[in-house]
Amino acid sequence: RATGSFLPQRPGCARGSARMPYGPLSVTVVQCRGLKSKDTFGKNDPYCIVSLVGSTQSFKTKAKTNAGNACMWEETFNFNVIEGQNQIVAQVMDQDVGADDFIGKGALDLTSAFRSPTPVDQWIPIQDQKTRPSGEVRVVVHFQGARPDQQQQGNAAVGAYRPPAWGNVAAPPQQYQQPPP
């Protein structure tokens, strides 16, 4: 088995096909709502851990102090997807002094993101350890394939790059030079 960021893609593996493509995946953890309270006194201090199933890639948002049952994170994380990695897991925790409390966990299948040329906005229902509903996490997922034909499809909604409206960028400053001894 090869190691590295990307494995070669099998022929015929394009957007919309049954086989999963490979390439960069952007996941924005936007917000949560309806979280079950884990603090007897005070409010939840939630944070979210987003993991790509089948890999060691995992990211954590900042904890939102005294957020209660809803908060906004709006944090973006980038994953490197290889064939067979087709699901992300969002796990919400309540930050406490000592041990953090588990609020809930949910999974999102990435097939729709692999097939869409535009970002996919999705609410992930999360469940506690007894599989009871314990809230939702909103994520925006955007897959950009590693092959040029996938990239063109992915960029079609974004548009072509244009130079900034404020004009030409000044030349970078000259290198710092050591003063003479």
Side-chain angles (χ1 to χ4, degrees), residues 52-125:
L52 180 64
V53 175
S55 82
T56 59
Q57 299 172 76
S58 181
F59 297 97
K60 175 182 161 186
T61 66
K62 294 180 177 113
K64 295 295 183 175
T65 306
N66 290 323
N69 66 352
C71 75
M72 297 288 285
W73 286 297
E74 295 181 338
E75 294 183 41
T76 301
F77 307 107
N78 295 306
F79 295 90
N80 292 320
V81 176
I82 61 172
E83 188 172 351
Q85 296 173 338
N86 59 356
Q87 191 176 58
I88 59 169
V89 171
Q91 178 176 321
V92 180
M93 303 289 288
D94 174 31
Q95 185 177 45
D96 285 327
V97 176
D100 294 349
D101 297 319
F102 175 80
I103 296 176
K105 179 165 65 168
L108 175 67
D109 186 286
L110 296 172
T111 304
S112 61
F114 292 146
R115 292 182 178 154
S116 176
T118 60
V120 175
D121 191 335
Q122 184 76 41
W123 283 95
I124 303 173

